[in-house]
């Protein structure tokens, strides 16, 4: 299982200037390679290398940096093609899709640059790295991270690391291949219903209310609007300083929620059942005031956190179809749109059971998860002679 570990580089002024210049140079070169690739119909990586490698070397890039720059461009076009094929940029002929297809991919000056072990070496005991730049190799560059992150780096780091600059601070994001825990045979399943009013509701009774996070998002939105109206240098500085704060806060909440759910499943020896919500933003149509809440809903991130935490703990996990889970009675299985009285109340028209709507849905998801698991499990019945 791949896990990323982020470390912060503690740089002197000249070291920061060298890394900033390096990122600018490689991304400027990537923009030129992207132009060549676009003009030639985005050829394969080997063919693209024949047209660009010599020029990249002449621009001062090292051999490995030039190779990684070409690969970065080719990967960017591969992702673009996949997004177009999946319909993420709209239907054929839509304005957004035409814009994406009609011009080369552009790279920001501070965009991430991959490094392999020839360009970057780690000294874990001293907590330093040696890293290639266009001004020469920087040695004894200190980095900071938690003790757990350092242990993970020492034991499992494998493959490339990305150098990124964020708000004037440089980070290295390293890829680690962490072994998955052996998966146990679950004694039942815990269903998890994801939502906006309640971020996550588990069939065990655990409920992560979204009221606090939604209030926080609204405060941040109102503040951004006020600052954007000012159009002054100080307002722009404030906006820049506050950028990504909401994302960090939401990610922290998702970490706490996912850890609570996975820990409970591991403690009770049960598996986890989640809804497959991919594509919900394109399927659901809402009034304009509700769109901000839907598009700021980080359900995919929470799902990813639950998945990787479950893999590390050996907790079985399945995804189920979410259709009608909020309209189905978990007691008698009666389906009726009118069963869902309002956001928080469920009253079955068949058997009359009264329950919290999200908790009822979580029990339905748990039942579907168990059915999916049993359907995919190997039969233990002796073979017929």
């Amino acid at each position: 299982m791949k896990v990323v570990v982020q470390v912060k580089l503690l740089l002197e002024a000249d070291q920061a200037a060298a890394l900033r210049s390096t990122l600018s140079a490689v991304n400027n070169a990537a923009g030129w390679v992207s132009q060549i690739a676009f003009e030639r119909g985005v050829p394969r990586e080997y063919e693209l290398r024949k047209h660009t490698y010599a020029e990249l070397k002449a621009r001062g890039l090292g051999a490995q940096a030039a190779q990684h720059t070409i690969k970065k461009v080719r990967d960017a076009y591969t992702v673009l093609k996949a997004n177009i094929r999946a319909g993420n940029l709209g239907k054929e002929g839509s304005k957004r899709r035409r814009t994406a297809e009609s011009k080369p991919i552009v790279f920001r000056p501070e965009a991430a640059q991959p490094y392999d072990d020839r360009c970057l070496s780690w000294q874990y005991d001293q907590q330093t790295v040696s890293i290639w730049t266009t001004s020469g190799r920087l040695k004894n560059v200190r980095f900071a991270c938690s003790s757990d992150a350092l242990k993970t780096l020492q034991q499992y780091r494998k493959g490339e690391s990305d150098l990124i600059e964020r708000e004037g601070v440089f980070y290295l994001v390293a890829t680690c291949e962490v072994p998955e825990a052996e998966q146990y045979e679950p004694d039942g399943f815990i269903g998890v219903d994801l939502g906006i009013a309640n971020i996550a509701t588990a069939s065990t009774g655990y409920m992560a209310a979204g009221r606090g996070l939604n209030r926080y998002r609204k405060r941040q939105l109102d503040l951004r609007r006020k600052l954007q109206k000012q159009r002054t240098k100080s307002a722009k500085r404030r906006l820049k300083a506050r950028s990504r704060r909401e994302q960090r806060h939401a990610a922290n909440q998702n970490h706490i929620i996912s850890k609570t759910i996975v820990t409970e499943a591991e403690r009770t020896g049960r598996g986890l059942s989640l809804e497959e919500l991919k594509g919900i933003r394109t399927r659901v149509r809402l009034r304009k005031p509700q769109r901000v809440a839907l598009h700021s809903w980080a359900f995919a991130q929470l799902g990813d956190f639950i998945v990787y935490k479950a893999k590390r703990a050996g907790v079985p996990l399945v995804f189920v179809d979410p259709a009608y889970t909020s309209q189905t009675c978990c007691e008698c299985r009666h389906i009726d749109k009118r069963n869902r009285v309002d956001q928080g109340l469920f009253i079955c028209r068949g058997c009359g059971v009264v329950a919290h709507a999200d908790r009822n849905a979580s029990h339905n998801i748990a039942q579907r998860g168990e059915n999916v698991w049993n359907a995919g499990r190997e039969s233990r019945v002796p073979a017929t002679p």
Side-chain angles (χ1 to χ4, degrees):
M1 178 180 63
K2 288 186 178 180
V3 175
V4 295
V5 174
Q6 179 177 282
V7 303
K8 180 180 179 180
L9 297 182
L10 307 176
L11 303 169
E12 303 293 339
D14 57 336
Q15 294 175 333
L19 287 180
R20 190 169 291 110
S21 175
T22 298
L23 279 184
S24 178
V26 294
N27 284 305
N28 184 47
W32 174 78
V33 174
S34 177
Q35 181 71 38
I36 299 298
F38 182 78
E39 292 173 356
R40 294 181 175 272
V42 193
R44 294 179 180 272
E45 185 181 336
Y46 180 75
E47 185 181 348
L48 184 59
R49 190 177 298 144
K50 291 193 297 184
H51 297 295
T52 58
Y53 180 76
E55 175 62 23
L56 292 178
K57 290 281 290 180
R59 293 186 177 210
L61 272 63
Q64 290 301 111
Q67 301 278 18
H68 283 302
T69 300
I70 297 169
K71 186 175 183 296
K72 179 170 75 171
V73 173
R74 191 63 187 82
D75 289 345
Y77 278 102
T78 301
V79 171
L80 175 62
K81 188 175 180 179
N83 281 325
I84 292 173
R85 188 167 55 248
N88 296 334
L89 297 176
K91 299 180 180 179
E92 187 176 358
S94 66
K95 182 179 178 181
R96 186 181 179 193
R97 180 165 171 175
R98 287 201 311 269
T99 301
E101 294 175 322
S102 62
K103 59 182 180 180
I105 293 176
V106 178
F107 294 85
R108 294 175 291 106
E110 68 277 8
Q113 175 68 10
Y115 279 75
D116 61 14
D117 288 342
R118 295 184 182 182
C119 308
L120 174 70
S121 60
W122 299 76
Q123 295 81 44
Y124 302 113
D125 294 336
Q126 296 80 23
Q127 281 196 220
T128 60
V129 295
S130 172
I131 186 169
W132 171 87
T133 71
T134 52
S135 304
R137 199 172 185 93
L138 297 180
K139 297 183 179 180
N140 300 320
V141 177
R142 295 181 298 125
F143 68 85
C145 63
S146 66
S147 57
D148 289 340
L150 182 61
K151 185 178 179 181
T152 303
L153 281 172
Q154 287 178 303
Q155 295 180 350
Y156 305 119
R157 189 192 67 80
K158 185 177 181 181
E160 298 177 351
S161 303
D162 286 345
L163 174 68
I164 62 174
E165 181 185 6
R166 188 184 300 135
E167 299 174 5
V169 181
F170 287 88
Y171 300 89
L172 281 171
V173 182
T175 304
C176 300
E177 288 282 354
V178 179
E180 297 180 14
E182 185 177 355
Q183 200 174 81
Y184 56 79
E185 184 67 25
D187 183 19
F189 274 78
I190 297 174
V192 182
D193 180 62
L194 305 180
I196 297 175
N198 294 305
I199 302 173
T201 304
S203 55
T204 56
Y206 170 73
M207 182 180 292
R211 181 184 302 173
L213 182 59
N214 291 332
R215 285 177 176 174
Y216 179 83
R217 288 190 189 280
K218 189 176 185 308
R219 287 200 304 271
Q220 297 299 313
L221 178 62
D222 292 340
L223 181 58
R224 282 198 300 271
R225 284 173 177 168
K226 290 178 182 178
L227 291 174
Q228 287 166 354
K229 286 181 180 179
Q230 298 297 321
R231 296 186 179 181
T232 60
K233 289 185 177 180
S234 60
K236 291 178 181 178
R237 283 198 300 269
R238 289 286 301 278
L239 282 168
K240 187 175 181 180
R242 299 184 66 85
S243 66
R244 300 185 67 253
R245 182 173 296 188
E246 183 180 324
Q247 294 179 24
R248 293 194 296 270
H249 182 78
N252 181 61
Q253 294 297 313
N254 284 337
H255 272 299
I256 294 171
I257 294 168
S258 59
K259 185 175 182 179
T260 302
I261 293 171
V262 172
T263 301
E264 177 66 14
E266 184 182 14
R267 185 185 67 81
T268 57
R270 287 183 282 183
L272 289 172
S273 177
L274 298 178
E275 301 169 284
E276 178 56 73
L277 296 175
K278 186 176 181 181
I280 190 172
R281 288 193 174 98
T282 57
R283 295 197 305 267
V284 176
R285 294 196 177 274
L286 297 171
R287 294 183 298 110
K288 192 171 183 179
Q290 297 174 310
R291 292 174 193 168
V292 173
L294 177 67
H295 290 281
S296 60
W297 180 26
F299 67 88
Q301 185 187 67
L302 176 58
D304 290 342
F305 287 172
I306 293 175
V307 168
Y308 96 80
K309 285 177 169 61
K311 286 182 178 180
R312 295 194 72 170
V315 176
L317 185 142
V318 296
F319 284 88
V320 301
D321 184 2
Y324 304 107
T325 53
S326 63
Q327 300 175 18
T328 304
C329 177
C330 64
E331 297 291 339
C332 68
R333 320 308 300 170
H334 176 68
I335 302 175
D336 194 324
K337 187 176 182 179
R338 296 173 297 171
N339 285 350
R340 183 73 179 260
V341 179
D342 56 30
Q343 193 280 322
L345 181 61
F346 183 93
I347 303 177
C348 180
R349 300 279 174 167
C351 65
V353 68
V354 180
H356 189 282
D358 292 340
R359 194 157 293 158
N360 174 78
S362 69
H363 285 288
N364 290 327
I365 294 167
Q367 181 61 47
R368 291 188 184 186
E370 193 163 352
N371 293 339
V372 170
W373 178 266
N374 291 333
R377 187 168 53 184
E378 292 183 6
S379 174
R380 289 179 171 78
V381 178
T384 303

